[in-house]
Protein backbone atom coordinates (compact mmCIF):
# COMPACT_ATOMS: atom_id res chain seq x y z
CA UNK A 1 0.00 0.00 0.00
CA UNK A 2 2.85 2.36 0.87
CA UNK A 3 4.61 1.64 -2.44
CA UNK A 4 1.35 2.07 -4.35
CA UNK A 5 0.70 5.46 -2.76
CA UNK A 6 4.22 6.67 -3.55
CA UNK A 7 4.03 5.39 -7.12
CA UNK A 8 0.61 6.90 -7.75
CA UNK A 9 1.53 10.22 -6.13
CA UNK A 10 4.81 10.55 -8.03
CA UNK A 11 3.18 9.60 -11.34
CA UNK A 12 0.34 12.04 -10.69
CA UNK A 13 2.82 14.83 -9.92
CA UNK A 14 4.81 14.22 -13.10
CA UNK A 15 1.95 13.48 -15.52
CA UNK A 16 -1.09 15.08 -13.90
CA UNK A 17 -3.13 11.87 -13.72
CA UNK A 18 -3.09 8.45 -12.16
CA UNK A 19 -1.13 5.85 -14.15
CA UNK A 20 -2.91 3.71 -16.70
CA UNK A 21 -2.53 0.15 -15.48
CA UNK A 22 -3.67 -3.00 -17.27
CA UNK A 23 -3.17 -5.36 -14.30
CA UNK A 24 -2.05 -5.01 -10.71
CA UNK A 25 0.35 -7.62 -9.38
CA UNK A 26 0.50 -8.97 -5.85
CA UNK A 27 2.71 -11.59 -4.23
CA UNK A 28 0.70 -13.56 -1.68
CA UNK A 29 2.65 -15.15 1.15
CA UNK A 30 0.73 -15.82 4.35
CA UNK A 31 3.63 -15.37 6.75
CA UNK A 32 2.94 -16.53 10.27
CA UNK A 33 6.29 -17.69 11.62
CA UNK A 34 4.80 -18.56 15.02
CA UNK A 35 2.16 -21.02 13.82
CA UNK A 36 3.67 -23.44 11.34
CA UNK A 37 2.08 -25.13 9.58
CA UNK A 38 -1.47 -23.98 10.04
CA UNK A 39 -3.49 -24.33 6.83
CA UNK A 40 -6.65 -22.65 8.10
CA UNK A 41 -4.85 -19.58 9.41
CA UNK A 42 -2.51 -19.38 6.43
CA UNK A 43 -5.33 -19.72 3.92
CA UNK A 44 -7.28 -16.96 5.71
CA UNK A 45 -4.24 -14.68 5.65
CA UNK A 46 -3.72 -15.28 1.91
CA UNK A 47 -7.38 -14.69 1.09
CA UNK A 48 -7.50 -11.54 3.23
CA UNK A 49 -4.42 -10.16 1.43
CA UNK A 50 -6.21 -10.57 -1.90
CA UNK A 51 -9.52 -9.16 -0.64
CA UNK A 52 -7.74 -6.17 0.90
CA UNK A 53 -5.96 -5.38 -2.33
CA UNK A 54 -9.22 -5.45 -4.30
CA UNK A 55 -10.94 -3.30 -1.67
CA UNK A 56 -8.08 -0.80 -1.78
CA UNK A 57 -8.00 -0.66 -5.60
CA UNK A 58 -11.76 -0.14 -5.72
CA UNK A 59 -11.29 3.22 -3.97
CA UNK A 60 -10.02 4.56 -7.30
CA UNK A 61 -12.58 4.67 -10.09
CA UNK A 62 -9.95 4.00 -12.77
CA UNK A 63 -8.87 0.75 -11.05
CA UNK A 64 -12.24 -0.84 -10.24
CA UNK A 65 -12.11 -2.91 -13.42
CA UNK A 66 -8.33 -3.45 -13.44
CA UNK A 67 -7.58 -7.14 -12.88
CA UNK A 68 -5.33 -8.52 -10.20
CA UNK A 69 -2.57 -10.94 -11.12
CA UNK A 70 -1.19 -13.01 -8.27
CA UNK A 71 2.38 -13.24 -9.53
CA UNK A 72 3.60 -15.37 -6.63
CA UNK A 73 1.58 -17.54 -4.30
CA UNK A 74 3.25 -19.78 -1.78
CA UNK A 75 3.57 -20.90 1.78
CA UNK A 76 7.02 -20.60 3.31
CA UNK A 77 7.05 -23.20 6.09
CA UNK A 78 5.52 -26.67 5.82
CA UNK A 79 7.43 -28.15 8.75
CA UNK A 80 6.67 -28.42 12.47
CA UNK A 81 8.93 -25.46 13.07
CA UNK A 82 12.03 -23.69 11.81
CA UNK A 83 15.36 -22.80 13.31
CA UNK A 84 18.90 -21.98 12.34
CA UNK A 85 21.77 -24.22 11.24
CA UNK A 86 25.10 -22.47 10.65
CA UNK A 87 23.31 -19.11 10.66
CA UNK A 88 20.88 -20.22 7.94
CA UNK A 89 17.18 -20.98 8.20
CA UNK A 90 16.54 -24.69 8.50
CA UNK A 91 13.42 -26.86 8.78
CA UNK A 92 12.67 -28.53 12.11
CA UNK A 93 10.55 -31.65 12.44
CA UNK A 94 8.41 -33.23 9.75
CA UNK A 95 7.11 -31.86 6.48
CA UNK A 96 3.29 -31.80 6.60
CA UNK A 97 2.05 -32.91 3.19
CA UNK A 98 -1.52 -33.21 4.44
CA UNK A 99 -1.61 -29.70 5.87
CA UNK A 100 -0.06 -28.20 2.73
CA UNK A 101 -2.71 -30.13 0.82
CA UNK A 102 -5.42 -28.52 2.97
CA UNK A 103 -3.93 -25.04 2.43
CA UNK A 104 -3.60 -25.59 -1.30
CA UNK A 105 -7.13 -26.99 -1.65
CA UNK A 106 -8.81 -24.23 0.33
CA UNK A 107 -6.88 -21.48 -1.45
CA UNK A 108 -7.51 -22.94 -4.92
CA UNK A 109 -11.18 -23.54 -4.12
CA UNK A 110 -11.54 -19.92 -2.96
CA UNK A 111 -9.80 -18.62 -6.09
CA UNK A 112 -12.01 -20.78 -8.29
CA UNK A 113 -15.22 -19.47 -6.68
CA UNK A 114 -14.14 -15.85 -6.19
CA UNK A 115 -11.80 -14.97 -9.07
CA UNK A 116 -14.63 -13.31 -11.00
CA UNK A 117 -15.95 -11.38 -7.99
CA UNK A 118 -12.51 -10.00 -7.10
CA UNK A 119 -11.37 -9.69 -10.74
CA UNK A 120 -8.42 -12.02 -10.28
CA UNK A 121 -7.33 -12.80 -13.80
CA UNK A 122 -4.27 -15.03 -13.23
CA UNK A 123 -2.38 -16.70 -10.45
CA UNK A 124 1.01 -18.35 -10.36
CA UNK A 125 2.71 -20.37 -7.65
CA UNK A 126 6.11 -19.27 -6.37
CA UNK A 127 8.04 -22.34 -7.50
CA UNK A 128 7.42 -25.78 -8.88
CA UNK A 129 10.51 -27.24 -7.19
CA UNK A 130 13.01 -26.14 -4.58
CA UNK A 131 15.15 -28.14 -2.23
CA UNK A 132 13.07 -27.73 0.94
CA UNK A 133 15.57 -29.60 3.13
CA UNK A 134 18.88 -27.87 2.31
CA UNK A 135 17.54 -24.36 1.90
CA UNK A 136 18.61 -21.55 -0.39
CA UNK A 137 19.21 -18.08 1.03
CA UNK A 138 15.50 -17.26 0.75
CA UNK A 139 14.68 -19.94 3.35
CA UNK A 140 11.73 -21.30 1.40
CA UNK A 141 10.56 -24.65 2.82
CA UNK A 142 6.97 -24.70 1.65
CA UNK A 143 4.81 -25.88 -1.22
CA UNK A 144 6.47 -27.57 -4.18
CA UNK A 145 4.93 -29.61 -7.00
CA UNK A 146 7.74 -31.87 -8.27
CA UNK A 147 10.01 -34.53 -6.80
CA UNK A 148 13.18 -32.92 -8.13
CA UNK A 149 14.65 -30.18 -10.31
CA UNK A 150 15.03 -32.34 -13.43
CA UNK A 151 12.80 -31.63 -16.44
CA UNK A 152 11.50 -35.21 -16.27
CA UNK A 153 10.79 -35.16 -12.51
CA UNK A 154 7.47 -36.58 -11.34
CA UNK A 155 4.68 -34.64 -9.71
CA UNK A 156 4.53 -35.06 -5.95
CA UNK A 157 1.14 -35.28 -4.23
CA UNK A 158 0.77 -31.47 -4.14
CA UNK A 159 1.48 -31.38 -7.86
CA UNK A 160 -1.15 -34.08 -8.37
CA UNK A 161 -3.62 -32.06 -6.29
CA UNK A 162 -2.95 -28.92 -8.35
CA UNK A 163 -3.21 -30.81 -11.62
CA UNK A 164 -6.50 -32.42 -10.56
CA UNK A 165 -8.05 -29.01 -9.94
CA UNK A 166 -6.83 -27.16 -13.01
CA UNK A 167 -7.67 -30.09 -15.29
CA UNK A 168 -11.14 -30.61 -13.72
CA UNK A 169 -10.26 -34.18 -12.84
CA UNK A 170 -11.22 -36.15 -9.74
CA UNK A 171 -9.90 -34.01 -6.87
CA UNK A 172 -6.78 -35.26 -5.07
CA UNK A 173 -5.28 -34.61 -1.68
CA UNK A 174 -2.15 -35.65 0.18
CA UNK A 175 -1.77 -38.04 3.06
CA UNK A 176 0.59 -37.16 5.92
CA UNK A 177 3.15 -39.47 4.24
CA UNK A 178 2.98 -37.52 0.97
CA UNK A 179 0.88 -39.97 -1.00
CA UNK A 180 -1.70 -38.76 -3.49
CA UNK A 181 -5.23 -40.06 -2.88
CA UNK A 182 -8.73 -39.15 -4.00
CA UNK A 183 -10.36 -36.40 -1.96
Amino acid sequence: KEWFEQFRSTYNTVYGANPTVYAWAIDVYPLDWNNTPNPGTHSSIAINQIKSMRQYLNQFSEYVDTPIWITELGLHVAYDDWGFNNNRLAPVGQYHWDEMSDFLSSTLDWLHVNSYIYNIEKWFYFVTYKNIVDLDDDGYMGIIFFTGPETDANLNCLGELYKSRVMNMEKKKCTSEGLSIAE
Side-chain angles (χ1 to χ4, degrees):
K1 184 176 178 181
E2 184 177 316
W3 175 89
F4 177 86
E5 285 297 330
Q6 289 174 351
F7 170 68
R8 198 174 62 77
S9 174
T10 301
Y11 190 96
N12 210 311
T13 299
V14 173
Y15 298 104
N18 284 331
T20 300
V21 177
Y22 299 101
W24 286 105
I26 183 174
D27 293 349
V28 178
Y29 290 102
L31 294 174
D32 181 354
W33 293 97
N34 297 318
N35 298 297
T36 61
N38 186 328
T41 298
H42 290 126
S43 185
S44 294
I45 292 170
I47 290 165
N48 285 335
Q49 286 175 350
I50 299 163
K51 286 178 171 180
S52 294
M53 182 168 187
R54 178 81 274 154
Q55 182 180 9
Y56 182 74
L57 291 172
N58 286 350
Q59 295 177 40
F60 307 95
S61 60
E62 60 267 55
Y63 302 136
V64 169
D65 294 325
T66 307
I68 293 173
W69 287 15
I70 302 170
T71 51
E72 291 183 16
L73 176 59
L75 186 60
H76 272 275
V77 182
Y79 288 88
D80 292 321
D81 206 350
W82 56 277
F84 290 95
N85 184 7
N86 295 327
N87 294 323
R88 291 178 61 113
L89 273 174
V92 173
Q94 299 225 188
Y95 185 91
H96 291 272
W97 293 100
D98 53 343
E99 295 193 43
M100 293 306 94
S101 176
D102 291 346
F103 167 80
L104 194 56
S105 292
S106 62
T107 306
L108 286 170
D109 289 347
W110 185 87
L111 284 167
H112 178 74
V113 169
N114 293 285
S115 61
Y116 179 78
I117 297 165
Y118 289 92
N119 199 3
I120 304 163
E121 195 170 79
K122 299 177 186 293
W123 56 85
F124 308 91
Y125 278 84
F126 172 59
V127 296
T128 55
Y129 176 79
K130 260 187 169 301
N131 184 334
I132 57 172
V133 176
D134 301 316
L135 308 180
D136 289 338
D137 289 337
D138 64 8
Y140 188 82
M141 53 190 123
I143 291 176
I144 57 172
F145 295 132
F146 287 93
T147 58
E150 304 82 18
T151 55
D152 62 346
N154 293 318
L155 291 172
N156 62 30
C157 68
L158 296 171
E160 291 288 339
L161 181 159
Y162 185 72
K163 179 182 175 182
S164 75
R165 280 179 162 65
V166 298
M167 302 290 290
N168 289 320
M169 301 164 58
E170 177 185 35
K171 289 184 178 180
K172 303 278 186 168
K173 68 178 182 176
C174 299
T175 66
S176 59
E177 295 81 25
L179 301 174
S180 180
I181 61 171
E183 188 175 86

